[in-house]
Amino acid sequence: MRFSMLIGLLRPIGPVVIGISLGFTLSLLSVGWVEEGCENNPVGDEATNLSQERNLKGARRPNSISTGNDGEEDEEDFHPRIIPYKPVKQTQPKKLFRSKYISTELGIRERLFVGILTSKNTINTLGVAVNRTISHHLDNVVFFTGTRSRKTPHGMSVVTHGDERLIWNMFQTINYILEHYITEYDWFYLAQDDTYTQADRIKALVEHLSMDRVLYMGSPEEFIGGEMQGRYCYGGFGYLLSRSLLLKLQPFLENCRNDILSARHDEWLGRCIIDYADTNCVEEFEGRKYYYYEMGKNSDPSKEDNEQFKNALTVHPVSDPEQMYRLHKHLAQIELQKTYKDIEKLQDEIKHVSVMTFEGNHSALWPIGINPPFEPKTRFEVLRWDYFTEDQVFTCVDGSPKCELSGIDKLDVTDVIETAMGELNKKYKPVLHLKKQQLINGYRRFDPTRGMEYTLDLQLEVVNQKGHSCSITKRVHLVRPLSRIEIIPMPYVTEATRVHIILPVTHQDREHVHQFLEVYTTNAFETSENAILTFLFIYDRNEAQQVNQKDIFASIKAQINAYEHRYPTVKVPWISVKSESPSQIKLMDIISKKHPVDTLFFIATVKTNVNSEFLNRCRMNSINSWQVFFPIHFQYYNPNIAYHNQPHPNMADLVKEAGHFDRSSFSEACFYNADYMAARTRMSSDVQENEELLESLDIYDMFVKYSNLHVFRAVESALHEKYSYQPCNPRLSEDIYQRCVQSTLDSLGSRSQLAMLLFEQEQANST
């Protein structure tokens, strides 16, 4: 009983006793492991032992408790030291160099480089003909010549070596390619200027060749005399050189120049390639053949019709530019007919395949191979059809209900009718012959997914084989499909160009200058924008006479001086002019003479909010000798109308209730001084006959009528103008005055806002 009672008392505390016992046991074992030393070296070093002892003292063991003695021993070894605070220097981060183009950074190369060997005597004749026949098909065509005349053909990239020796020119040409283009292209095609080249076929050939091959391809020829083994490519028919071949040849190019003697440049290059690159000229490689054709002397290109001529990549020799153009026309016609046959073949295949589909023939769209028509989702997306006849169109640009069919529209309608008649006769001949009597109805619309669509109701005279005729009405449908989208090469522009902002100011604009300067200071002065603001103060006759006694722009000039004092690096020049009718062209004539030809101008108004975003687009969209930029600013409505009986917001968004893009305004413009001077020079002859042109035209009209530049007119979301009533100058031309009036009226408010205001006024008057 007593034993059982003892067991009952110990049972609750039994696990505790067992746990404490295990804890003591494990702690004793761990002390033994930690305090055991590793005596690998029986003869220990004192310094090593001391360091081990110090480490043991400094490191606290899990089962140890620090005592006062340990602390005293630690204090004897401890020496206090003051560490001065040193702030971390903000080092300038290393600027990461990025390539101008993504292709350069990724190592992507273009496919084909074309070099044309020409001379001083033929560059203005055959050289120009070659450029006109191949340059629009190829990305880069460079003409290499020994010397050239002072007048270089426009639009051609010409490299002059300074010597007329043929071998020297060939050496310099290869050397120039290795220095400037070897990292940018995979294939290099060289030809003479008396060689006609089918540019598209050369491009198609290199597209099917491996870029890493060591290849020398052209028309193989034996060396003169037959002493040397191997074959070279005859220069008259052109030849292809791979990038790998030129890189292999590069270390030995000087040896070729010094050691190889030859009378012909193509033989010299062939011997160099054979000796140092161990490569012969081949006519066929990887299943692709280099076709060429030798044309007889004084032969007519239009009469050449054999298969070798039709398949030729190059034709040689071409005696004069006229023969080059005739040859180009004939081969283009052959290529066009071949393309039409390929299209018909593909259309037939699509028809045959569509029969086997679930929907049958209905699955084949018309025309075959063209995108299906656009399907609107809402009533606002329905495309409008324009009605026309042979003489008139009933949708006019100026909003008139009817206007004369002329210009490009006339040519378009004529071409469509002729095409319709040709297709109808092609379909019904020889059983029937159709003649057009008149166009009854014509409809057309532009479908952005497929092109221009036409529906014609034609009254036709039908004549059968027996000579009997009758008049019928036939409806036909036609589509002028959109062509293949191409990337048009544009000159490279940067956002680093300085913009000269020209701000004309009249006495009516004085009250807006203060607001303009405040906005411009925030967006340009404080951000060190690369732009120069120039004020153009316009005085009339009376104001100019009283300028010494009472200058109407004195307060503005004082503000300019204050800003220059606040920002020492900023200079704001101004120009004072006297003009009764301040037309844009007259004012720009004064500005243009005071600036270099490479100056980029931005013509602004006192209501324009200039910012960096727009200035960058001004730089990118204005291209010297190529393009001028006329932005369409966002015009805010009159806040008293747009926010009638509502609080006026401090900042309004680009929404239809706040304003609209003012397409009637042409007051802002970005262009280069050289482009303005060129257009102004062309205009001068007409100005001599009619001086009123300076007032009747603005800068936009001048560029449209008197320059070949691309006039880029687009909405500009970063260019805003607040509403303010601006009276129009009646001294300007009728067209400019009416545009000004229309712009002022459109800026009052939207139709719904004006209607609501009139409705409220009518209700107030009725009560």
Side-chain angles (χ1 to χ4, degrees):
M1 288 293 291
R2 293 179 180 178
F3 181 76
S4 61
M5 291 178 63
L6 181 63
I7 294 300
L9 292 172
L10 293 176
R11 182 175 295 171
I13 61 173
V16 177
V17 174
I18 294 173
I20 293 173
S21 302
L22 287 174
F24 276 112
T25 304
L26 292 175
S27 64
L28 290 174
L29 290 174
S30 64
V31 169
W33 290 339
V34 172
E35 290 183 349
E36 282 183 3
C38 296
E39 297 181 356
N40 294 334
N41 188 6
V43 183
D45 191 14
E46 272 189 6
T48 307
N49 292 333
L50 285 173
S51 66
Q52 289 178 353
E53 290 176 3
R54 288 174 182 172
N55 289 337
L56 287 174
K57 291 177 181 179
R60 182 179 177 183
R61 297 187 293 271
N63 61 339
S64 65
I65 302 175
S66 62
T67 64
N69 294 334
D70 293 341
E72 291 175 1
E73 291 176 4
D74 292 343
E75 288 177 0
E76 292 177 0
D77 296 334
F78 177 75
H79 298 284
R81 189 159 51 97
I82 298 175
I83 301 175
Y85 171 73
K86 294 182 179 180
V88 180
K89 294 182 179 180
Q90 296 292 335
T91 58
Q92 189 73 17
K94 187 176 180 181
K95 187 176 181 181
L96 180 64
F97 173 76
R98 300 301 299 270
S99 304
K100 183 188 295 185
Y101 301 104
I102 296 177
S103 59
T104 305
E105 191 164 321
L106 298 179
I108 301 174
R109 294 185 295 270
E110 296 291 337
R111 203 67 180 156
L112 180 64
F113 170 87
V114 175
I116 304 298
L117 307 177
T118 184
S119 65
K120 177 181 178 180
N121 298 328
T122 58
I123 188 171
N124 291 296
T125 53
L126 285 171
V128 172
V130 171
N131 184 63
R132 289 180 176 176
T133 53
I134 69 172
S135 61
H136 54 286
H137 294 278
L138 302 167
D139 296 329
N140 195 2
V141 180
V142 179
F143 290 80
F144 297 96
T145 179
T147 58
R148 62 179 179 181
S149 58
R150 294 181 179 178
K151 187 177 180 181
T152 305
H154 180 69
M156 293 173 57
S157 178
V158 181
V159 176
T160 306
H161 300 315
D163 198 326
E164 287 292 344
R165 290 177 295 174
L166 297 178
I167 306 303
W168 172 262
N169 285 339
M170 177 56 73
F171 165 78
Q172 290 292 346
T173 298
I174 300 298
N175 193 44
Y176 187 89
I177 291 174
L178 288 169
E179 290 180 357
H180 295 86
Y181 297 108
I182 195 65
T183 59
E184 300 179 14
Y185 294 89
D186 291 325
W187 293 96
F188 300 86
Y189 170 73
L190 297 179
Q192 301 171 180
D193 58 3
D194 61 346
T195 303
Y196 174 79
T197 302
Q198 282 273 58
D200 290 334
R201 294 182 182 179
I202 292 290
K203 288 171 63 178
L205 174 64
V206 299
E207 289 292 336
H208 293 84
L209 295 176
S210 301
M211 65 181 70
D212 59 343
R213 301 297 186 186
V214 178
L215 183 61
Y216 179 34
M217 191 176 192
S219 171
E221 293 285 339
E222 298 284 348
F223 286 95
I224 298 176
E227 298 178 356
M228 185 174 178
Q229 299 295 325
R231 292 186 174 188
Y232 72 96
C233 288
Y234 176 56
F237 297 116
Y239 42 86
L240 274 175
L241 305 172
S242 67
R243 179 174 180 269
S244 302
L245 174 64
L246 290 178
L247 289 175
K248 191 175 182 180
L249 191 67
Q250 187 174 12
F252 310 103
L253 199 58
E254 286 289 341
N255 297 343
C256 294
R257 185 179 65 127
N258 298 328
D259 300 341
I260 299 177
L261 299 177
S262 180
R264 295 176 54 87
H265 60 84
D266 49 2
E267 279 193 11
W268 175 86
L269 181 61
R271 290 181 60 183
C272 180
I273 293 174
I274 293 172
D275 290 348
Y276 294 99
D278 194 23
T279 303
N280 282 280
C281 178
V282 296
E283 185 176 344
E284 187 173 355
F285 185 76
E286 293 182 349
R288 298 287 169 174
K289 189 173 182 180
Y290 191 94
Y291 293 98
Y292 52 89
Y293 182 77
E294 184 175 1
M295 194 163 57
K297 190 175 182 180
N298 299 326
S299 61
D300 187 0
S302 60
K303 296 181 180 179
E304 301 286 348
D305 200 28
N306 56 64
E307 288 300 319
Q308 185 180 359
F309 175 79
K310 292 181 178 179
N311 296 327
L313 279 70
T314 61
V315 179
H316 175 80
V318 181
S319 57
D320 54 67
E322 182 182 354
Q323 191 178 36
M324 181 81 73
Y325 297 136
R326 292 168 63 190
L327 185 62
H328 179 69
K329 179 181 178 181
H330 183 53
L331 286 172
Q333 290 175 343
I334 293 175
E335 195 69 25
L336 188 62
Q337 293 300 323
K338 181 181 177 182
T339 303
Y340 284 151
K341 290 181 180 179
D342 292 341
I343 292 174
E344 291 179 359
K345 182 179 178 181
L346 290 173
Q347 288 177 339
D348 291 339
E349 291 179 1
I350 293 173
K351 287 180 181 179
H352 295 154
V353 172
S354 63
V355 175
M356 304 176 186
T357 61
F358 178 75
E359 297 178 353
N361 288 331
H362 297 289
S363 62
L365 300 172
W366 180 89
I368 296 176
I370 306 298
N371 293 332
F374 172 74
E375 295 183 1
K377 303 299 182 183
T378 64
R379 60 190 298 267
F380 301 103
E381 296 179 356
V382 176
L383 301 178
R384 182 190 66 192
W385 287 87
D386 297 333
Y387 179 76
F388 63 88
T389 63
E390 293 186 71
D391 302 317
Q392 294 174 332
V393 60
F394 291 81
T395 304
C396 306
V397 178
D398 59 357
S400 302
K402 180 177 67 174
C403 53
E404 183 181 358
L405 193 66
S406 61
I408 192 66
D409 291 322
K410 180 73 172 179
L411 295 175
D412 177 51
V413 171
T414 303
D415 180 59
V416 168
I417 294 175
E418 291 178 355
T419 302
M421 294 305 303
E423 292 297 324
L424 287 173
N425 281 307
K426 181 180 177 181
K427 182 178 181 180
Y428 294 109
K429 273 187 176 181
V431 179
L432 300 174
H433 178 69
L434 306 177
K435 296 181 181 179
K436 179 183 76 72
Q437 293 180 336
Q438 67 171 339
L439 173 66
I440 301 175
N441 300 306
Y443 302 91
R444 67 177 180 180
R445 73 171 183 180
F446 178 71
D447 188 336
T449 62
R450 54 198 254 135
M452 187 69 79
E453 299 180 346
Y454 304 87
T455 299
L456 306 180
D457 294 331
L458 297 170
Q459 186 173 342
L460 306 173
E461 180 185 0
V462 182
V463 182
N464 60 15
Q465 292 177 326
K466 296 181 179 181
H468 301 293
S469 64
C470 65
S471 180
I472 63 171
T473 300
K474 181 72 173 178
R475 168 163 284 197
V476 295
H477 300 277
L478 300 95
V479 176
R480 192 190 297 275
L482 295 172
S483 60
R484 181 169 60 93
I485 298 175
E486 299 180 3
I487 297 178
I488 301 176
M490 296 285 287
Y492 180 73
V493 294
T494 66
E495 296 180 353
T497 307
R498 173 171 289 180
V499 181
H500 289 254
I501 303 173
I502 308 301
L503 184 65
V505 182
T506 63
H507 70 281
Q508 300 170 345
D509 302 325
R510 291 176 297 175
E511 59 183 14
H512 305 291
V513 174
H514 178 71
Q515 177 66 23
F516 175 89
L517 284 174
E518 285 187 349
V519 175
Y520 187 81
T521 299
T522 304
N523 297 333
F525 290 162
E526 295 180 357
T527 59
S528 300
E529 180 68 39
N530 189 16
I532 295 179
L533 175 62
T534 301
F535 278 83
L536 185 62
F537 296 121
I538 304 170
Y539 298 85
D540 60 21
R541 183 180 302 175
N542 297 329
E543 295 166 350
Q545 292 175 353
Q546 300 176 4
V547 68
N548 294 327
Q549 292 79 19
K550 182 182 178 182
D551 188 356
I552 61 172
F553 300 115
S555 60
I556 300 176
K557 295 176 182 179
Q559 291 182 39
I560 294 173
N561 292 331
Y563 280 109
E564 289 180 342
H565 181 72
R566 188 191 307 176
Y567 303 96
T569 60
V570 173
K571 298 297 179 184
V572 182
W574 69 69
I575 302 172
S576 299
V577 297
K578 180 179 70 173
S579 177
E580 294 294 333
S581 54
S583 68
Q584 279 189 323
I585 297 178
K586 284 184 177 181
L587 298 177
M588 198 60 219
D589 285 345
I590 300 172
I591 298 294
S592 177
K593 295 176 183 178
K594 298 180 180 294
H595 291 81
V597 294
D598 59 346
T599 303
L600 174 59
F601 289 123
F602 167 51
I603 308 299
T605 67
V606 292
K607 297 185 293 181
T608 304
N609 291 337
V610 181
N611 52 56
S612 298
E613 181 182 354
F614 165 72
L615 290 179
N616 286 334
R617 276 201 281 269
C618 178
R619 297 181 181 104
M620 299 300 291
N621 292 331
S622 303
I623 306 174
N624 195 7
S625 302
W626 187 274
Q627 180 173 283
V628 293
F629 178 43
F630 285 84
I632 304 174
H633 66 259
F634 186 79
Q635 176 66 56
Y636 289 111
Y637 289 139
N638 185 343
N640 296 326
I641 297 177
Y643 305 100
H644 184 60
N645 295 330
Q646 299 178 19
H648 298 177
N650 295 327
M651 294 294 294
D653 295 331
L654 265 70
V655 293
K656 63 179 182 179
E657 292 81 9
H660 71 116
F661 286 105
D662 192 357
R663 289 175 170 79
S664 301
S665 176
F666 297 85
S667 54
E668 291 95 359
C670 294
F671 53 87
Y672 279 88
N673 193 16
D675 296 334
Y676 175 83
M677 295 171 65
R680 186 68 176 83
T681 302
R682 292 186 179 183
M683 182 183 176
S684 58
S685 59
D686 291 344
V687 172
Q688 292 178 358
E689 298 177 1
N690 183 13
E691 294 184 357
E692 294 182 356
L693 282 177
L694 296 177
E695 298 180 0
S696 61
L697 298 180
D698 55 11
I699 295 178
Y700 179 81
D701 294 326
M702 184 192 71
F703 276 116
V704 171
K705 294 182 179 181
Y706 294 100
S707 76
N708 296 324
L709 303 176
H710 178 216
V711 179
F712 188 56
R713 175 85 166 148
V715 296
E716 180 51 63
S717 59
L719 197 63
H720 301 175
E721 283 195 9
K722 289 188 176 180
Y723 173 81
S724 65
Y725 175 73
Q726 183 70 25
C728 300
N729 190 348
R731 296 179 180 178
L732 299 176
S733 67
E734 183 66 22
D735 291 340
I736 299 177
Y737 177 77
Q738 290 299 329
R739 285 206 302 258
C740 177
V741 172
Q742 187 64 42
S743 175
T744 303
L745 295 176
D746 291 340
S747 301
L748 290 174
S750 64
R751 290 185 178 182
S752 59
Q753 292 167 353
L754 294 172
M756 183 60 67
L757 186 63
L758 290 174
F759 178 72
E760 292 178 1
Q761 289 181 355
E762 287 293 334
Q763 280 190 329
N765 294 334
S766 62
T767 56

